[in-house]
Amino acid sequence: EIVMTQSPATLSVSPGERVTLSCRASQIVSSDLAWYQQKPGQAPRLLLYGASTRATGIPARFSGSGSGTEFTLTISSLQSEDFAVYYCQQFSAWPFTFGPGTKVDVK
Amino acid sequence: EVQLVESGGGLEHPGGSLRLSCAASGFTFRRHAMTWVRQAPGKGLEWVSAISDNGVYTYYADSVKGRFTISRDSFRNTLYLQMNSLRAEDTAVYYCARDGNYIDRAILPDYWGQGTLVTVSS
């Protein structure tokens, strides 16, 4: 099973700041990496797949990069609605696995 | 409007069984792979199981393999998860989700249900 790790566990930021989240896979997953956003009491929402392709309806302030084992999610200018937990997930091999998440909260 | 409505959750004793259902509407059910993802209280996400659009291929997390069975009924537009030999660690909110057909070989959910809580406790 491919193990996903994320850092940091929590990130405290102010609206308008640039945010960078990291994700690492225990094995090479090529670009088979997705990012999800989850707000309290809600189901997750797919943000990016293929490491860098935005899902339908996702704002351009969300971008992704990386391949192999190291990946990054960047939010160019954090909006109030972006405070949430962000998960990365590999879909290179079943079982698909999620990272533990990074919580982005208010500084 | 795409809707996914889960049901069947509740309290069950260790060793017991539950069957979750997910009623789908607002889209052509047989054209989408489907999946179950769970989240233990206060914890992260865990992929549980997935099924191809035609129902031929099924996938399971190691933690549930041999105990859970995923299936679908394209006449009733319903996804199921039969859960046997339940354990305390199966306690979670179980989400049903639809694959968005972004990539053929992957399941990338674009619509999710509201979740149903399964509690396994004596």
Side-chain angles (χ1 to χ4, degrees):
Chain A
E1 175 176 307
I2 299 174
V3 177
M4 308 300 292
T5 56
Q6 292 185 242
S7 61
T10 303
L11 190 60
S12 298
V13 297
S14 300
E17 285 188 29
R18 182 182 180 88
V19 171
T20 300
L21 311 180
S22 296
C23 172
R24 174 178 292 179
S26 62
Q27 305 173 34
I28 292 173
V29 298
S30 186
S31 295
D32 295 341
L33 192 285
W35 289 93
Y36 298 79
Q37 175 194 68
Q38 188 179 31
K39 298 178 182 178
Q42 296 185 17
R45 177 173 71 146
L46 177 66
L47 297 176
L48 303 170
Y49 62 94
S52 62
T53 303
R54 282 187 296 277
T56 304
I58 301 303
R61 65 180 180 273
F62 292 94
S63 63
S65 63
S67 66
T69 61
E70 302 281 345
F71 301 90
T72 298
L73 170 68
T74 299
I75 309 172
S76 59
S77 177
L78 194 78
Q79 304 299 299
S80 57
E81 61 267 31
D82 300 334
F83 291 103
V85 179
Y86 292 83
Y87 295 93
C88 64
Q89 172 245 317
Q90 64 81 20
F91 55 90
S92 176
W94 190 265
F96 299 159
T97 43
F98 290 93
T102 292
K103 182 179 182 180
V104 177
D105 64 14
V106 180
K107 182 184 289 183
Chain B
E1 178 191 6
V2 173
Q3 285 197 318
L4 299 169
V5 180
E6 301 98 336
S7 60
L11 175 64
E12 184 55 71
H13 295 302
S17 298
L18 282 174
R19 188 175 84 153
L20 305 184
S21 299
C22 172
S25 62
F27 66 100
T28 305
F29 184 66
R30 59 183 167 80
R31 291 184 181 170
H32 292 264
M34 300 292 294
T35 190
W36 291 96
V37 175
R38 69 184 180 185
Q39 187 167 35
K43 302 298 183 182
L45 301 170
E46 180 185 16
W47 216 294
V48 174
S49 184
I51 187 167
S52 60
D53 53 3
N54 58 11
V56 172
Y57 302 100
T58 58
Y59 308 87
Y60 298 93
D62 291 344
S63 58
V64 307
K65 198 174 295 182
R67 300 188 298 123
F68 290 11
T69 302
I70 191 171
S71 62
R72 63 191 295 162
D73 184 334
S74 291
F75 292 101
R76 292 183 170 84
N77 288 348
T78 302
L79 175 72
Y80 301 101
L81 185 68
Q82 177 67 43
M83 305 188 295
N84 299 331
S85 303
L86 283 164
R87 305 168 179 168
E89 54 265 36
D90 295 320
T91 295
V93 172
Y94 284 73
Y95 293 103
C96 156
R98 182 190 88 159
D99 175 40
N101 286 342
Y102 289 104
I103 301 176
D104 282 346
R105 57 181 173 75
I107 295 177
L108 297 165
D110 61 348
Y111 284 92
W112 300 65
Q114 82 289 351
T116 186
L117 176 63
V118 171
T119 303
V120 183
S121 175
S122 54

